[in-house]
Amino acid sequence: MKKLGIIAAAAMSISVAQSASAEDVTLKGVQDRGFVQCGVSTGLPGFSNPDEKGNWTGMDVDVCRAVAAATLGDATKVKYTPLTAKERFTALQSGEIDVLSRNTTWTQTRDTSLGLNFAGVNYYDGQGFMVSKSLGVKSALELDGAAVCIQAGTTTELNLADYFRQNNMKYQPVVFDTSDQTVKGFEAGRCDILTSDASQLYALRIKLANPDSAMVLPEIISKEPLGPVVRQGDDQWFNIVKWSMNALINAEELGLTSANVDEQKMGDNPAVRRFVGLDGPKGKGLGLADDWAYQIVKQVGSYGEVFERNVGGDSALNIERGVNALWSKGGFMYAPPMR
Amino acid sequence: MMPEDNKYSANSKPKFWNDPEKRSLLFQVLMVGTVILFALYIINNTMNNLESRGISTGFGFLSQNAGFDILLTLIPFDATYSFGRTFFVGLLNTMLVSFLGVILATILGFIIGVARLSHNWLISRMASVYVETFRNIPLLLQIFFWYFAVLQLLPSPRESIELFDGVQLNVRGLYFPAPITGDGFGWVVIAFFASLVMSVFMIRWAKKRQDETGQFFPAYWASFGLVIVLCGLTYLASGSPLTWEYPELKGFNFKGGINVIPELSALLLALSIYTAAFIAEIVRSGIEAVDKGQTEASSALGLPRSRTLRLVVIPQAMRVVIPPLTSQYLNLIKNSSLATAIGYPDLVSVFAGTTLNQTGQAIEVIAMTMAVYLTLSLLVSLFMNWYNKRMALVER
């Protein structure tokens, strides 16, 4: 009943909110308020997870911090709203949050009929399976008749149905509200498999009491481009979130890091000079201060730093860069030039 | 005094705004008008907002392919069926758990309620402890308790506990052998209904005889026996046309048989145990509301305690019990939506959860879900009000 209440309240606030033009109000709202309202997951190591002190960290959190650094000049000025998969879009539609940065897959329906815009991709993922080693399964094709733990309201639910139908296999879906509950169900043996995006499987695996008892199967059954989402109709805000992401990626390409950006700023590399706002388009088109991109790198870092710190070698997850490497290094990460 | 009285009575008609009846009518019309205008404003505003934000509206999504599967379905369903079908799957699952919950809670509640008034110290104390414990712990915690703390401690399918022949219990639920009917089973069904009809006549006859002669005949026990004997004989005569499909361990899980999923068991246990605590209190207060003289009078007539309770006390207590009992039934139905916390696929979990998220049609889906709970609740209270009227004291 509680969940229904939340969604119902959000649905109501769509109905009651004044139908003033949605244009260009988000940035003003953020600046007046003094913080960015950011929707994140309810706790997923590496992507958005509160640490012991209650500070949120992760890839998705860093997108929020980059937006705050660009708009307010201070990456800490973010208010995080933990949302389940079921609640996330309604929260954004109803204006409860300014940006949804919550490992959300970019799909046609979501982009076209929910009144939302995807501002880019901060992690290229795909759906996989985690099984208990004791089952002795080596491939997802041996899973006929298995019980599967899934998180409610995700694309995962649809891909899973497709995959099992295509391969003429049957399964029993056990659907939980949060990823914590799916892990509990998996650990208790309620289901044989836990399915989710591969990155999440690694993150959830370290939440297990005994991470070595489970393994991730080699099959990846879908494309899951994950990225931040904003409301339709506010192009200025859409541009700000999009270019905050681009700034992170461009910074890595330019070799800028939070440690060296002050020093690099003094150099005469024209691309760096444009990046930090000394030359070029500066912040005018976005309605921001000229040093918006500099603030992002200074306070949050480059995409490479964000990746390594949260999910890569410097983290417990230890995920390879893989397709999330820069385009120049064989990956998909490619941002339009800042000029 | 006279002149003032004249003002109203003698001066034929008062002014329109001075007539209290007309005035109250006016205000009621104004009030209703305001409410309707407000509702229209909200609806209009919602449509405008949805349009300006590029959110598609309408119920067209109900005919699209759902594309996901559901754990428990009482009607055929798989990923190729429509979103509209998920509504009915969820609705039936909600009705299943509510119906079973109402029955279990009523039985348990009556037993505990009567036990609380027992003269046996131990029984009445145990009933009090039951009521105070389960009434005072939040329902959500109880659901979690049954699901995560009790049911999930059961062994894996490969190490299932065999309770009886073919009845397996494990963390995936309880598995029963499923009956498979063969040729000639129709005769057993016919025998069953025939014996039911005979029982009805027998009960009527027994009642009539008791009214006329005062002699008692145990008609209910007799009809119970009649049904068993008649069905049993027909079953044997038609060559035992019933086989059992036993659940078998194949691959990861048991296949075949009937599976009661642990989500259903946990939800049902929690709902009925919790609600039964409230029902017990209602039954107790109902029984205590019956005048002590009634009990004394019936024991003076020589009726044994059990029949005093069944024939004299409980029928009178029901008049006090039914109205608050209705509220408890409504609470149980609405509380069943907590299913979503443990993954039981009820209406809120399936329709207001997955379907809402896959389609993004929040307003339509939530409106439909609220309409369902409203309708179910109204139907239950309608039925209970009818029942209450039937039970109400008929003054002669």
Side-chain angles (χ1 to χ4, degrees):
Chain A
M1 217 55 207
K2 190 188 114 218
K3 296 285 163 176
L4 181 62
I6 292 172
I7 298 173
M12 288 304 160
S13 66
I14 297 183
S15 27
V16 184
Q18 279 301 318
S19 60
S21 140
E23 300 258 321
D24 300 356
V25 293
T26 316
L27 176 63
K28 190 161 182 312
V30 166
Q31 284 169 340
D32 289 349
R33 219 186 293 124
F35 58 86
V36 177
Q37 291 171 321
C38 193
V40 291
S41 80
T42 51
L44 186 66
F47 288 84
S48 43
N49 203 31
D51 64 13
E52 318 76 77
K53 290 180 212 132
N55 298 319
W56 286 84
T57 58
M59 294 275 295
D60 291 338
V61 167
D62 280 343
V63 171
C64 307
R65 295 177 64 229
V67 172
T71 50
L72 302 165
D74 185 348
T76 61
K77 293 280 196 309
V78 186
K79 187 185 153 229
Y80 299 98
T81 307
L83 298 166
T84 66
K86 274 157 62 173
E87 296 156 357
R88 57 187 163 180
F89 298 122
T90 323
L92 183 60
Q93 287 167 339
S94 62
E96 200 183 320
I97 53 174
D98 301 314
V99 55
L100 175 70
S101 182
R102 192 203 170 283
N103 41 54
T104 299
T105 306
W106 188 347
T107 67
Q108 188 191 341
T109 312
R110 289 171 177 181
D111 206 2
T112 55
S113 65
L114 302 189
L116 304 177
N117 274 334
F118 279 78
V121 176
N122 72 333
Y123 192 94
Y124 288 95
D125 212 338
Q127 185 176 343
F129 297 107
M130 180 161 74
V131 296
S132 168
K133 277 183 186 157
S134 63
L135 280 183
V137 172
K138 293 276 169 279
S139 153
L141 294 168
E142 300 166 32
L143 295 174
D144 190 16
V148 189
C149 283
I150 331 167
Q151 200 187 335
T154 56
T155 47
T156 315
E157 257 186 291
L158 307 181
N159 298 330
L160 180 73
D162 284 355
Y163 183 78
F164 273 75
R165 280 178 70 77
Q166 258 173 24
N167 292 298
N168 275 321
M169 300 193 296
K170 290 216 176 312
Y171 72 102
Q172 217 192 5
V174 187
V175 182
F176 292 102
D177 240 14
T178 66
S179 52
D180 262 345
Q181 288 170 341
T182 34
V183 172
K184 263 195 206 161
F186 177 73
E187 258 190 318
R190 176 63 186 94
C191 38
D192 304 293
I193 329 170
L194 195 160
T195 185
S196 191
D197 295 348
S199 63
Q200 290 194 38
L201 291 180
Y202 289 104
L204 294 176
R205 198 171 81 109
I206 60 172
K207 276 193 175 181
L208 294 177
N210 179 10
D212 283 332
S213 66
M215 59 181 274
V216 175
L217 294 177
E219 281 89 352
I220 295 292
I221 65 166
S222 69
K223 294 187 287 193
E224 308 286 339
L226 311 177
V229 196
V230 295
R231 272 182 301 279
Q232 252 175 33
D234 186 343
D235 288 351
Q236 185 191 32
W237 185 249
F238 178 43
N239 285 338
I240 289 171
V241 176
K242 187 164 58 182
W243 279 93
S244 297
M245 296 261 307
N246 290 340
L248 287 169
I249 298 167
N250 278 325
E252 186 181 7
E253 203 177 329
L254 291 172
L256 298 175
T257 65
S258 49
N260 72 10
V261 65
D262 282 324
E263 182 194 329
Q264 293 280 315
K265 196 178 164 183
M266 303 302 167
D268 48 10
N269 181 339
V272 174
R273 286 181 64 84
R274 280 196 298 273
F275 186 94
V276 298
L278 295 174
D279 297 330
K282 306 195 175 178
K284 192 155 175 282
L286 292 169
L288 298 176
D290 289 343
D291 66 345
W292 65 275
Y294 164 81
Q295 294 296 348
I296 291 179
V297 180
K298 182 67 194 155
Q299 300 183 38
V300 184
S302 70
Y303 182 80
E305 281 178 87
V306 168
F307 191 98
E308 290 307 318
R309 178 170 70 219
N310 294 308
V311 298
D314 298 342
S315 74
L317 295 177
N318 203 4
I319 300 176
E320 301 270 315
R321 273 303 278 274
V323 295
N324 288 300
L326 285 183
W327 65 281
S328 51
K329 293 183 181 150
F332 295 159
M333 283 298 162
Y334 185 105
M338 296 168 73
R339 64 188 317 145
Chain B
M1 291 306 280
M2 279 304 284
E4 268 185 41
D5 278 351
N6 275 345
K7 203 172 157 191
Y8 291 101
S9 53
N11 280 6
S12 61
K13 262 187 156 182
K15 290 256 165 53
F16 174 76
W17 51 87
N18 280 340
D19 185 338
E21 257 180 48
K22 283 185 185 151
R23 203 159 54 185
S24 79
L25 191 75
L26 176 73
F27 280 115
Q28 285 176 40
V29 169
L30 278 179
M31 187 63 212
V32 172
T34 316
V35 170
I36 291 177
L37 276 181
F38 183 67
L40 285 177
Y41 167 74
I42 291 274
I43 293 171
N44 182 38
N45 198 25
T46 308
M47 301 310 286
N48 283 340
N49 274 337
L50 289 173
E51 200 176 335
S52 74
R53 291 178 190 198
I55 303 171
S56 33
T57 50
F59 289 92
F61 72 94
L62 288 175
S63 56
Q64 287 167 23
N65 266 11
F68 62 93
D69 290 288
I70 299 174
L71 179 59
L72 172 73
T73 62
L74 298 177
I75 46 176
F77 183 84
D78 64 41
T80 56
Y81 283 86
S82 68
F83 281 121
R85 185 92 168 182
T86 65
F87 172 76
F88 290 105
V89 170
L91 175 61
L92 286 174
N93 286 345
T94 289
M95 285 167 72
L96 173 75
V97 75
S98 307
F99 179 74
L100 295 176
V102 161
I103 293 190
L104 277 181
T106 310
I107 296 172
L108 196 61
F110 268 78
I111 293 174
I112 305 277
V114 172
R116 250 201 116 169
L117 294 171
S118 166
H119 292 297
N120 183 321
W121 187 86
L122 188 65
I123 290 179
S124 72
R125 271 325 108 91
M126 273 167 62
S128 312
V129 169
Y130 174 96
V131 169
E132 294 308 334
T133 310
F134 291 107
R135 189 169 68 158
N136 293 311
I137 297 173
L139 178 56
L140 187 60
L141 291 185
Q142 295 193 35
I143 293 177
F144 280 139
F145 171 76
W146 288 109
Y147 189 61
F148 287 113
V150 178
L151 296 179
Q152 304 253 332
L153 288 183
L154 293 169
S156 70
R158 287 177 197 178
E159 290 140 17
S160 329
I161 309 166
E162 183 150 13
L163 294 177
F164 305 101
D165 182 37
V167 181
Q168 308 277 353
L169 181 66
N170 61 46
V171 69
R172 307 280 162 82
L174 193 57
Y175 291 79
F176 293 102
I180 294 175
T181 55
D183 291 339
F185 192 76
W187 291 109
V188 182
V189 177
I190 292 169
F192 176 72
F193 283 107
S195 55
L196 277 193
V197 173
M198 283 156 74
S199 304
V200 170
F201 280 109
M202 185 162 68
I203 290 165
R204 278 194 187 166
W205 166 80
K207 193 170 183 308
K208 202 170 157 226
R209 194 178 71 139
Q210 196 177 3
D211 285 349
E212 284 168 1
T213 67
Q215 276 178 315
F216 177 72
F217 178 74
Y220 286 96
W221 285 112
S223 45
F224 183 67
L226 181 75
V227 171
I228 299 277
V229 169
L230 207 60
C231 290
L233 284 178
T234 325
Y235 178 73
L236 292 176
S238 59
S240 309
L242 193 63
T243 47
W244 295 92
E245 183 199 45
Y246 283 88
E248 271 179 82
L249 189 59
K250 269 187 198 160
F252 302 104
N253 296 313
F254 277 93
K255 285 192 183 142
I258 298 170
N259 177 14
V260 180
I261 54 170
E263 287 77 18
L264 174 61
S265 322
L267 187 62
L268 196 55
L269 275 173
L271 279 178
S272 40
I273 288 176
Y274 176 78
T275 315
F278 291 91
I279 293 181
E281 282 298 272
I282 291 169
V283 169
R284 182 181 64 90
S285 66
I287 291 176
E288 284 188 333
V290 177
D291 195 83
K292 201 167 165 240
Q294 298 282 323
T295 322
E296 288 168 353
S298 76
S299 51
L301 286 173
L303 283 178
R305 274 194 67 79
S306 64
R307 284 176 71 192
T308 303
L309 202 61
R310 191 162 62 83
L311 297 174
V312 178
V313 178
I314 292 200
Q316 298 186 72
M318 284 309 279
R319 289 167 196 145
V320 181
V321 168
I322 290 172
L325 193 62
T326 311
S327 305
Q328 291 307 322
Y329 288 170
L330 298 183
N331 280 344
L332 189 145
I333 293 173
K334 287 177 288 181
N335 284 339
S336 74
S337 63
L338 287 169
T340 176
I342 55 166
Y344 173 77
D346 79 324
L347 185 70
V348 171
S349 166
V350 168
F351 191 65
T354 305
T355 296
L356 188 156
N357 209 269
Q358 300 301 355
T359 61
Q361 308 288 336
I363 298 204
E364 290 85 350
V365 168
I366 294 293
M368 283 173 77
T369 310
M370 293 202 291
V372 162
Y373 282 98
L374 188 64
T375 314
L376 280 183
S377 299
L378 287 178
L379 285 177
V380 169
S381 47
L382 213 62
F383 172 78
M384 292 299 281
N385 283 341
W386 167 80
Y387 187 62
N388 190 32
K389 269 212 183 101
R390 248 198 59 175
M391 295 293 286
L393 196 60
V394 185
E395 305 258 6
R396 281 175 226 236

